[in-house]
Amino acid sequence: MSKVRVRFAPSPTGYLHIGGARTALFNFLFARRHQGAFILRIEDTDTVRSTQKSVEEILNAMRWLGLSWDEGPYYQSERFSLYQEKVQQLLREGKAYRCYCTSAELDQKREQAMAEGRKPKYDGTCRQCGEHIEGKPFVVRFRSPDSGATTFNDLIKGPISVQNDELDDIIIQRTDGTPTYNFVVVVDDVEMGITHVIRGDDHVNNTPRQILMYQALGAPLPSFAHVPMILGADKTRLSKRHGATSVMSYEEMGYLPEALVNYLVRLGWSCGDQEIFSMEELIAKFSLENVGRSAGVFNPEKLLWLNSHYIKSGDPQRLGRLLQRHLERMGLSVPRPENLPAVVALFRERDKTLEEMAKSAAFLFRDKPEMEEAAEKKFLTEANRGLFETIIHYLEGCEPFTHDAVEQCVEKIMAETGLKMGKVAQPIRVAITGGTVSPSVFEILPILGREETLKRLQSALALLK
């Protein structure tokens, strides 16, 4: 195999969709598996809908997923002179022609063809019109063969063949001189030396037309592999009604990139019964032969399970840094970031996303706890004044302020007051967290630190009724 060169070519008319991310991932893994090149190309020929904001969103999503590209990003909007040169080449060689038919005339032809039971493709009126009519608007059409068949072996779907008389003389340049999608894709893939075109199977109908253009340009054909689409649970095309479809929405919801990568690659590709893969394993094992032909069904519960796995097994230092972003998005400051790994360890077994973890841990970072009314009425009472004073006394002298030292202080409080653990720990918990449910106070207090712990206990003491 010559050096593999693949490309991911998104249109910057919105965010990076889950389906696009999987296509990018398959290209990335294929390139890395074969020590090839992964090229990023921005297909922004739709100048009306393409935006720089969308470009940035796509690039950010790819960086977040860890899909680093080797070349690019190339922008089609900067390559129009090349496309116009290739259009002129095809015109000179008689492989394309100017079409002067108006929109109204084309609509009439289409309606007549449908009324007569014919396929509503262009009837070739201008095919033999060799002269250039000065001042009259025209498009440029590609001259498709009248007979024969265009056949290719899809690396996923197998052999595909289309009769050439089924194909239209498609427009390759509009009246304003701008090129069209099917043409610029071929020109770019030829110029960039693309060896494998791995893309969604919504493009499979374009492939025979594009193959004819490769041949017209005298270029070698790449290999084609069309990846089945992703469906929602109702077996319709994945859309917002099935949940988030933007890659970065998952980052905002507290998913880890490795979880989304792991999930997307398994949504259409298999390697025995293995479910969990590192990026290194994926690169070593990925192959197009193991990509299925049927559409994948997006399962949010499976993605959540994978995310939970990566949260439980991930590096607490890294997860702490990621958690800080979610806390700050909630408007909370993190005065002691060095404590975040301990926060992660505290909540990682129960919370499946970083967003959940941020909500669970929010009480640690608020200026004061948000008191639950029932908890306040039950535990912040005048009857507990002496208990709170004793708690404050012992914790003031607790040194060092660690899990074991705090536990020993509570045992001394229990011995002095004659109360059992629940009767001592629960008032502390309410004063510190505002509620009756939380991780162990022996774990919470060292994270808060002595100063903040005593401040909250003093505030609780002032609330006693």
Side-chain angles (χ1 to χ4, degrees):
M1 184 185 291
S2 60
K3 183 179 179 181
V4 164
R5 290 177 61 83
V6 298
R7 47 70 164 184
F8 176 56
S11 297
T13 56
Y15 52 75
L16 181 59
H17 187 277
I18 286 292
R22 188 186 62 168
T23 299
L25 175 60
F26 282 7
N27 276 280
F28 172 84
L29 294 175
F30 188 79
R32 294 291 176 268
R33 174 76 175 81
H34 296 286
Q35 294 83 49
F38 176 51
I39 297 159
L40 179 59
R41 187 171 76 217
I42 305 298
E43 298 193 336
D44 56 349
T45 52
D46 186 342
T47 54
V48 175
R49 297 173 60 222
S50 298
T51 67
Q52 187 58 35
K53 180 183 177 183
S54 292
V55 171
E56 292 304 321
E57 288 182 358
I58 290 168
L59 298 184
N60 287 339
M62 291 188 66
R63 291 188 188 104
W64 182 70
L65 290 170
L67 306 183
S68 55
W69 51 93
D70 303 303
E71 294 180 24
Y74 297 111
Y75 294 85
Q76 287 184 332
S77 59
E78 298 174 356
R79 298 164 62 82
F80 276 13
S81 60
L82 171 64
Y83 309 139
Q84 289 165 348
E85 176 189 321
K86 296 299 180 182
V87 168
Q88 292 304 314
Q89 175 188 328
L90 294 185
L91 283 171
R92 286 194 305 271
E93 295 173 356
K95 297 172 181 176
Y97 60 92
R98 297 177 181 85
C99 174
Y100 296 92
C101 297
T102 64
S103 296
E105 289 170 337
L106 292 173
D107 288 342
Q108 184 179 0
K109 293 174 188 291
R110 195 175 297 113
E111 290 170 9
Q112 183 176 347
M114 293 175 70
E116 295 173 359
R118 294 183 287 111
K119 187 173 181 178
K121 69 172 192 172
Y122 181 62
D123 64 359
T125 298
C126 294
R127 261 184 167 233
Q128 309 309 320
C129 180
E131 62 182 271
H132 177 29
I133 306 175
E134 199 66 43
K136 187 172 183 180
F138 63 89
V139 298
V140 177
R141 291 183 181 272
F142 179 74
R143 192 185 297 273
S144 294
D146 295 320
S147 59
T150 299
T151 302
F152 66 101
N153 184 49
D154 192 287
L155 297 180
I156 294 173
K157 295 180 173 295
I160 295 175
S161 183
V162 175
Q163 294 299 310
N164 289 333
D165 60 10
E166 291 288 309
L167 302 176
D168 209 344
D169 284 359
I170 65 171
I171 295 170
I172 60 174
Q173 183 175 286
R174 304 179 184 91
T175 54
D176 63 0
T178 58
T180 58
Y181 168 78
N182 274 298
F183 183 63
V184 297
V185 164
V186 172
V187 172
D188 282 339
D189 285 347
V190 170
E191 292 295 312
M192 295 176 185
I194 301 303
T195 61
H196 295 74
V197 174
I198 305 169
R199 58 188 178 187
D201 66 0
D202 51 335
H203 289 285
V204 72
N205 290 334
N206 291 326
T207 303
R209 297 177 173 88
Q210 292 173 5
I211 286 174
L212 292 173
M213 292 183 199
Y214 279 100
Q215 293 169 343
L217 291 169
L221 291 180
S223 298
F224 291 92
H226 290 91
V227 180
M229 67 174 59
I230 301 175
L231 305 179
D234 59 359
K235 304 299 174 65
T236 61
R237 187 165 184 164
L238 190 68
S239 65
K240 288 183 179 179
R241 71 176 180 277
H242 299 112
T245 55
S246 161
V247 166
M248 294 311 286
S249 291
Y250 286 92
E251 187 274 334
E252 292 166 7
M253 291 189 295
Y255 286 80
L256 298 174
E258 56 266 39
L260 191 55
V261 163
N262 196 149
Y263 180 72
L264 288 177
V265 79
R266 287 287 289 109
L267 198 61
W269 174 82
S270 61
C271 184
D273 295 326
Q274 187 173 346
E275 291 285 350
I276 295 171
F277 298 84
S278 66
M279 184 64 87
E280 292 72 22
E281 287 179 300
L282 289 175
I283 290 171
K285 296 182 178 184
F286 183 80
S287 68
L288 292 173
E289 288 80 7
N290 289 332
V291 175
R293 295 185 180 185
S294 57
V297 177
F298 193 83
N299 183 342
E301 289 76 21
K302 182 68 174 290
L303 173 57
L304 193 60
W305 173 80
L306 275 169
N307 201 63
S308 176
H309 162 79
Y310 283 107
I311 283 180
K312 288 176 182 176
S313 60
D315 172 24
Q317 296 285 342
R318 170 180 173 254
L319 294 177
R321 291 191 295 272
L322 296 176
L323 177 62
Q324 183 170 351
R325 295 182 199 169
H326 289 272
L327 290 165
E328 290 172 348
R329 285 173 184 170
M330 295 172 64
L332 300 171
S333 62
V334 182
R336 298 168 65 193
E338 66 274 13
N339 283 342
L340 287 172
V343 176
V344 169
L346 199 57
F347 293 100
R348 71 193 311 171
E349 292 299 324
R350 63 162 76 184
D351 293 325
K352 296 180 179 179
T353 69
L354 291 174
E355 186 181 43
E356 283 182 12
M357 189 180 290
K359 290 176 179 177
S360 296
F363 71 87
L364 293 166
F365 303 95
R366 292 195 174 102
D367 292 335
K368 58 181 181 179
E370 296 178 347
M371 286 290 173
E372 294 175 4
E373 186 177 351
E376 183 178 354
K377 283 184 178 179
K378 184 174 181 180
F379 293 99
L380 302 191
T381 64
E382 187 62 33
N384 275 338
R385 180 175 294 277
L387 173 60
F388 273 109
E389 290 172 345
T390 303
I391 291 168
I392 291 169
H393 169 73
Y394 275 99
L395 290 181
E396 280 178 334
C398 183
E399 184 65 41
F401 207 72
T402 61
H403 177 288
D404 292 346
V406 169
E407 187 172 12
Q408 289 171 11
C409 284
V410 170
E411 288 172 354
K412 290 176 184 177
I413 295 166
M414 290 163 55
E416 181 171 318
T417 61
L419 297 173
K420 292 186 177 180
M421 176 64 74
K423 295 291 186 180
V424 176
Q426 201 67 331
I428 296 175
R429 176 176 285 109
V430 172
I432 297 300
T433 72
T436 56
V437 178
S438 77
S440 165
V441 294
F442 305 136
E443 295 172 314
I444 295 171
L445 268 56
I447 292 174
L448 274 176
R450 186 202 322 275
E451 183 180 343
E452 181 64 22
T453 295
L454 292 172
K455 174 185 156 187
R456 295 189 182 199
L457 288 167
Q458 292 285 5
S459 296
L461 191 59
L463 288 172
L464 297 189
K465 299 186 175 87

